[in-house]
Amino acid sequence: MIIVLKPEASPSDAKEILARISDAGLKPLHMPGSERVVLGALGDERVLAELQLESHPMVESVKPILAPYKLVSREMHPHDTIVRIGGMAIGGSAFKVIAGPCAVETHDQLRNTGLAVKAAGASAIRAGAYKPRTSPYGFPGHGPAGLKILREIGDELGLPVVTEVMDTADLDLVAEHADALQVGARNMQNFSLLRAVGKAGKPVVLKRGMAAKIEELLLAAEYLLAAGNDQVVLCERGIRTFETATRNTLDLNAIPYIKQRTHLPVLVDPSHGTGIRDLVIPMSLAAAACGADGLLVEVHENPAVALSDGAQSLYPDQFNTLMEALGPVVRAVGREFG
Ligand code: PEP
Ligand code: MN
């Protein structure tokens, strides 16, 4: 429920109403604006109704939040949230590109790839030290050694680092090394991980599960916000459909749908979304055109020898081509690039 106070309401009126909300066992929210103070109450709708806040003399209006996701909804927070990852900001008017290999393989591999993506204009580097693999025999990542390489290269190149955390047991170590924590598709509904990541004090890149509805993605994000972290970037990375020509079906419907309903920034991952290198550039341009706030894209210094996801990883010269092609599309939809 959103409670808009009258312009003449004083801070003590707000305090009194917030106390009534929490005394009723509901979660109170205080959202002071430049013209009006807006309060929120989260919890059982029947208890909310019993409070009868609309009859308070300093309350102008009381409006239910219809979406099941409350903190994530635009009804609660009409303006875009800007998420700061290291020195870069996602959301708002600029379009940002986070690029790097699927996995940290060696110091040289990450450094060479990092140099290439930085020179082409990427704003942050991505790479996994912990990799969710379908087969137990796949390359699982180098774990702590990979995190150390990531931090070294991020610091050397001045690029913020985004990397996946798969397990609460690794959370402290990953958070120590990363500028943003990625929660992968396979963990989107790992609720204990979401709760812990929400409390870790780092921005989060939350990827859509491959069989998750948009509403489920937004409710997963709600876990992070409910745990006290509003620095959340959503990422559309393709879903399973009956189509098998591509690894996944990149659901670009999701981008304008999510942007209309939430204040959180949304990235598109055209690499996992297609699984095919030659589809990455066209789908990246489509992502920019439909209002995404940026890309999460796989690039490898030599995809032919990549230990994971080589077939969908761009060569550095293709990444250059992508960055050059993106500028005009990004500007055509009224945004800035980089
Ligand atoms: C990744 O980003 O390398 C990854 C494993 O992605 P997803 O969780 O979307 O499959
Ligand atoms: Mn990958």
Side-chain angles (χ1 to χ4, degrees):
M1 197 138 73
I2 294 173
I3 304 120
V4 181
L5 301 191
K6 290 186 175 163
E8 62 269 29
S10 68
S12 68
D13 294 319
K15 215 169 138 200
E16 179 222 317
I17 297 170
L18 287 168
R20 277 179 64 187
I21 293 169
S22 68
D23 289 348
L26 305 167
K27 185 178 162 73
L29 299 167
H30 189 212
M31 298 171 279
S34 51
E35 285 160 28
R36 298 256 148 131
V37 171
V38 177
L39 307 178
L42 297 181
D44 188 330
E45 301 284 331
R46 287 161 305 181
V47 179
L48 288 174
E50 277 164 26
L51 282 180
Q52 305 235 333
L53 292 174
E54 53 283 351
S55 51
H56 190 286
M58 286 301 149
V59 169
E60 185 167 282
S61 64
V62 174
K63 223 177 36 165
I65 303 169
L66 299 174
Y69 38 87
K70 311 289 180 191
L71 299 170
V72 158
S73 75
R74 269 214 195 269
E75 294 163 86
M76 181 68 95
H77 186 291
H79 304 295
D80 288 345
T81 286
I82 311 282
V83 175
R84 293 185 195 281
I85 299 180
M88 83 146 166
I90 299 189
S93 58
F95 184 89
K96 293 288 158 79
V97 177
I98 304 171
C102 181
V104 183
E105 296 172 8
T106 65
H107 191 275
D108 282 355
Q109 169 252 12
L110 192 67
R111 186 168 187 275
N112 292 336
T113 309
L115 283 167
V117 300
K118 182 178 172 153
S123 300
I125 188 165
R126 60 139 293 147
Y130 295 88
K131 296 304 305 177
R133 302 310 303 271
T134 302
S135 161
Y137 309 118
F139 172 58
H142 290 309
L147 291 175
K148 189 164 171 282
I149 294 174
L150 252 177
R151 190 66 266 162
E152 280 167 13
I153 304 296
D155 288 344
E156 181 193 340
L157 304 184
L159 290 176
V161 163
V162 179
T163 196
E164 177 160 355
V165 57
M166 282 173 55
D167 196 309
T168 50
D170 310 316
L171 179 55
D172 289 347
L173 194 66
V174 179
E176 228 174 80
H177 290 78
D179 296 298
L181 303 169
Q182 178 171 315
V183 173
R186 290 155 190 81
N187 266 322
M188 189 205 84
Q189 286 189 314
N190 180 339
F191 301 115
S192 41
L193 181 65
L194 292 173
R195 283 204 178 91
V197 166
K199 290 195 206 110
K202 288 275 163 148
V204 181
V205 174
L206 176 64
K207 300 189 84 173
R208 179 177 180 184
M210 62 187 83
K213 295 194 283 185
I214 295 170
E215 185 172 296
E216 291 165 332
L217 170 65
L218 299 180
L219 283 166
E222 185 81 7
Y223 271 83
L224 299 168
L225 273 77
N229 188 356
D230 75 339
Q231 293 288 286
V232 176
V233 183
L234 304 170
C235 181
E236 166 60 45
R237 48 77 75 205
I239 50 173
R240 284 272 167 85
T241 66
F242 56 80
E243 182 56 75
T244 54
T246 50
R247 181 176 179 182
N248 289 292
T249 296
L250 187 60
D251 179 14
L252 290 183
N253 292 353
I255 304 305
Y257 186 95
I258 289 172
K259 295 288 296 178
Q260 283 168 20
R261 284 162 183 78
T262 84
H263 52 91
L264 299 176
V266 192
L267 299 177
V268 167
D269 171 350
S271 310
H272 295 86
T274 63
I276 300 172
R277 180 183 306 123
D278 289 344
L279 302 186
V280 168
I281 293 180
M283 295 317 288
S284 296
L285 301 181
C290 73
D293 294 293
L295 299 175
L296 184 72
V297 58
E298 287 184 341
V299 181
H300 192 287
E301 61 161 340
N302 183 6
V305 298
L307 296 181
S308 59
D309 286 350
Q312 67 193 33
S313 298
L314 296 180
Y315 283 88
D317 63 333
Q318 286 180 305
F319 183 65
N320 259 319
T321 306
L322 166 63
M323 294 299 276
E324 276 164 21
L326 272 171
V329 178
V330 168
R331 286 187 284 274
V333 293
R335 318 225 7 197
E336 297 129 39
F337 188 39

